[in-house]
């Protein structure tokens, strides 16, 4: 294992970089440079104006981070650890940008790659890996969030036999990127249980409306989606997915990436607070020299190092093919929870300046409110772990 002396320092007391290969460090550096050059200079403006920088999609494709853990069909075929490192660096820029990569790669592309027909994979995956086509993943509904089994969106058969198509009716909510998506992965109830459908943009009867007045994820898009008598051909059905195992398999991927990404937002908040505390003089000396400030910084760093180590452990398990859903739940629950605490604590070191967009912690904290809610709330992951350790499901 090689170690990059440039990255060791006040953010890596445990020398976790020594656990990464040269290839992993190089990939991380490429994504870190991208974040520094393409996200950080503009993120405050995007956030304030509520702008999703859609032009980043092909650049992220070029960077090789869209569907990066998938093999074939133009996908980069990188490891789970490399995907995690990329998520961490992108979320150090903004959770909204990491969300683009998650929705595209972990959710929409994983659904097509895992459950799609050969024709569906050929049609969509190469262009999605290149960022030419954006995908979305429509599971959550206005009245079905934590409990997708209660979804009301319904697909009925249009005609009979294998040549028959489908008619789709219903509504989805909080669907990331739906208004800019070229293809939507839509989960709907059928007479045979939950099935997945690929709905191309522009299909008559589909309406995507961005949700406004958000206090979180302002540099990203989340939509209300409606399906009003949408006619789909038989080729729209994802043939391999039957039941909730279809979408949940994709959620595992996204939740895994979040366990890494949240530590990126936490690290960026900590580093902003550390730098500020070293420069800012109060009562004639730097804030960093006060015991209360040092305690805050130390508590942040301890949790960042533990959370990063946890994410890396999950990544090694995933690359070994042995990771289990409850392990991912532990990582997502812990790392997002700690990241929010860290971002909020970092804000206190920045004082009044911390409530502006000149500094990242409060933007990260606001974003992380969404991150703790999507892909399984804190409560859902707590109950998944509770069921695992007691054998008793407490969801219902
Ligand atoms: P349950 O009866 O336990 O399971 C149903 C079927 O699913 C299988 N399964 C899984 N498969 C793979 N990975 C997992 N993690 C799985 N969890 C369950 C299970 O084996 C079973 O398969 P089969 O073949 O036997 O039928 O389902 P349940 O309804 O009792 O589960 C309860 C609970 C709470 C764990 C589940 O409903 C849950 O995870 N809820 C949270 C839903 C969630 O995370 N929603 C997120 C929506 S997507 C999103 O947020 C995108 S945001 C990105 C954006 O668009 O911006």
């Amino acid at each position: 294992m090689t170690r990059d002396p440039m990255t060791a320092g006040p953010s890596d007391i445990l020398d976790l970089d020594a656990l990464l290969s040269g290839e992993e460090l190089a990939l991380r550096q490429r994504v870190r440079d991208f974040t520094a050059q393409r996200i950080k200079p503009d993120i405050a403006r995007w956030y304030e104006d509520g702008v999703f920088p859609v032009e980043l999609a092909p650049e992220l494709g070029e960077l090789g981070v869209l569907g990066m853990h998938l093999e074939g069909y133009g996908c980069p075929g990188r490891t789970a650890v490399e995907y995690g490192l990329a998520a961490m660096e992108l979320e150090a820029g903004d959770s909204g940008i990491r969300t683009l990569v998650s929705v595209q790669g972990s959710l929409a592309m994983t659904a097509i790659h895992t459950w799609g027909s050969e024709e569906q994979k050929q049609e969509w995956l190469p262009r999605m890996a290149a960022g030419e086509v954006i995908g979305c993943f429509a599971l959550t509904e206005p009245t079905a969030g934590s409990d997708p089994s209660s979804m009301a969106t319904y697909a009925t058969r249009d005609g009979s036999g294998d040549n028959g198509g489908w008619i789709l009716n219903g509504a989805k909510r909080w669907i990331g990127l739906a208004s800019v998506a070229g293809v939507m992965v839509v989960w709907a109830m059928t007479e045979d249980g939950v099935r997945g459908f690929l709905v191309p943009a522009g299909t008559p009867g589909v309406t995507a409306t961005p949700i406004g007045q958000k206090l979180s994820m302002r540099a990203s898009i989340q939509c209300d989606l409606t399906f009003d008598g949408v006619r789909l051909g038989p080729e729209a059905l994802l043939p391999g997915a039957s039941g909730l195992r279809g979408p949940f398999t994709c959620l595992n991927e996204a939740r895994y990436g979040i366990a890494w990404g949240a530590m990126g937002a936490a690290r960026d908040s900590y580093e902003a607070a550390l730098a500020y505390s070293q420069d800012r003089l109060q009562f004639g000396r730097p804030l960093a020299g006060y015991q209360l400030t040092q305690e805050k910084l130390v508590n942040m760093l301890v949790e960042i190092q533990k959370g990063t180590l946890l994410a890396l452990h999950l990544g090694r398990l995933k690359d070994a093919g042995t990771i289990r859903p409850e392990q991912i739940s532990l990582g997502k629950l812990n790392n997002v929870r700690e990241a929010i605490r860290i971002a909020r604590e970092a804000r206190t070191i920045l004082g009044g300046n911390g409530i502006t967009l000149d500094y990242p912690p409060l933007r990260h904290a606001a974003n992380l409110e969404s991150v703790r809610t999507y892909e399984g709330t804190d409560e859902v992951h707590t109950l998944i772990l509770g069921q695992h350790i007691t054998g008793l499901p407490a969801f219902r």
Side-chain angles (χ1 to χ4, degrees):
M1 300 279 181
T2 50
R3 177 159 173 263
D4 179 0
M6 298 303 291
T7 58
S11 299
D12 188 16
I13 287 179
L14 291 177
D15 280 341
L16 298 186
D17 283 3
L19 302 175
L20 301 176
S21 70
E23 214 171 332
E24 289 164 344
L25 288 167
L27 178 282
R28 184 182 68 178
Q29 192 60 51
R30 275 205 306 285
V31 183
R32 189 173 285 184
D33 291 345
F34 180 89
T35 298
Q37 289 156 20
R38 292 296 291 122
I39 301 174
K40 289 195 171 181
D42 292 312
I43 187 60
R45 181 172 53 82
W46 293 332
Y47 202 88
E48 183 161 26
D49 296 346
V51 168
F52 170 64
V54 69
E55 67 277 11
L56 288 188
E59 297 181 39
L60 290 163
E62 175 113 24
L63 187 65
V65 297
L66 299 180
M68 69 185 286
H69 63 297
L70 301 173
E71 295 274 355
Y73 307 96
C75 301
R78 307 298 295 247
T79 66
V81 168
E82 287 172 325
Y83 174 38
L85 289 166
M88 188 174 190
E89 294 310 317
L90 291 168
E91 196 146 356
D94 192 77
S95 301
I97 310 302
R98 196 270 307 142
T99 295
L100 157 63
V101 170
S102 290
V103 170
Q104 180 85 341
S106 294
L107 296 177
M109 292 177 73
T110 294
I112 298 171
H113 196 275
T114 309
W115 308 119
S117 67
E118 185 58 28
E119 292 73 28
Q120 289 169 335
K121 294 180 199 182
Q122 299 278 5
E123 179 176 3
W124 295 110
L125 291 177
R127 287 184 290 154
M128 293 175 84
E132 291 164 14
V133 172
I134 290 177
C136 71
F137 186 88
L139 178 66
T140 298
E141 301 194 350
T143 56
S146 291
D147 178 17
S149 70
S150 66
M151 71 173 68
T153 298
Y154 207 94
T156 47
R157 291 209 180 257
D158 184 14
S160 59
D162 287 346
N163 291 328
W166 300 85
I167 302 176
L168 187 62
N169 282 289
K172 299 284 178 180
R173 184 160 168 81
W174 296 117
I175 307 308
L177 313 178
S179 57
V180 293
V183 62
M184 301 173 178
V185 176
V186 181
W187 301 97
M189 197 60 82
T190 72
E191 61 187 10
D192 301 321
V194 173
R195 303 298 304 263
F197 297 88
L198 297 187
V199 181
T203 303
V206 181
T207 308
T209 309
I211 296 170
Q213 298 193 316
K214 289 181 300 175
L215 297 172
S216 173
M217 291 281 187
R218 291 186 50 75
S220 181
I221 300 173
Q222 285 74 37
C223 291
D224 276 311
L225 262 179
T226 56
F227 305 97
D228 185 8
V230 177
R231 293 195 116 83
L232 301 170
E235 74 288 348
L237 182 72
L238 286 173
S242 182
L244 278 174
R245 203 163 61 83
F248 286 165
T249 299
C250 308
L251 291 183
N252 287 336
E253 298 293 327
R255 292 167 175 176
Y256 163 76
I258 288 170
W260 278 96
M263 283 297 112
R267 189 193 70 209
D268 193 57
S269 300
Y270 158 78
E271 288 179 349
L274 174 62
Y276 187 89
S277 72
Q278 289 166 325
D279 281 352
R280 172 81 169 177
L281 303 182
Q282 286 297 282
F283 303 104
R285 60 195 176 95
L287 282 180
Y290 289 96
Q291 291 182 5
L292 290 177
T293 306
Q294 290 193 3
E295 184 186 34
K296 290 178 184 180
L297 291 167
V298 167
N299 287 342
M300 288 180 219
L301 183 60
V302 167
E303 293 307 326
I304 291 167
Q305 293 261 274
K306 284 157 63 180
T308 305
L309 194 54
L310 169 57
L312 180 57
H313 176 63
L314 293 178
R316 297 294 184 220
L317 290 176
K318 198 162 187 307
D319 280 325
T322 62
I323 199 164
R324 299 190 305 272
E326 65 273 13
Q327 295 171 326
I328 297 174
S329 285
L330 193 152
K332 199 257 181 188
L333 174 67
N334 180 77
N335 284 8
V336 180
R337 193 163 62 185
E338 293 307 324
I340 290 183
R341 285 189 185 139
I342 289 164
R344 289 178 181 159
E345 190 79 311
R347 203 291 305 161
T348 69
I349 293 178
L350 297 164
N353 289 324
I355 70 158
T356 72
L357 280 166
D358 292 340
Y359 297 92
L362 195 55
R363 172 172 52 80
H364 285 310
N367 281 337
L368 288 164
E369 293 294 336
S370 297
V371 178
R372 88 183 313 170
T373 302
Y374 69 20
E375 318 289 4
T377 60
D378 285 4
E379 291 78 6
V380 160
H381 290 295
T382 300
L383 295 183
I384 288 172
L385 290 164
Q387 178 178 10
H388 182 73
I389 58 179
T390 66
L392 300 171
F395 303 109
R396 296 180 170 85

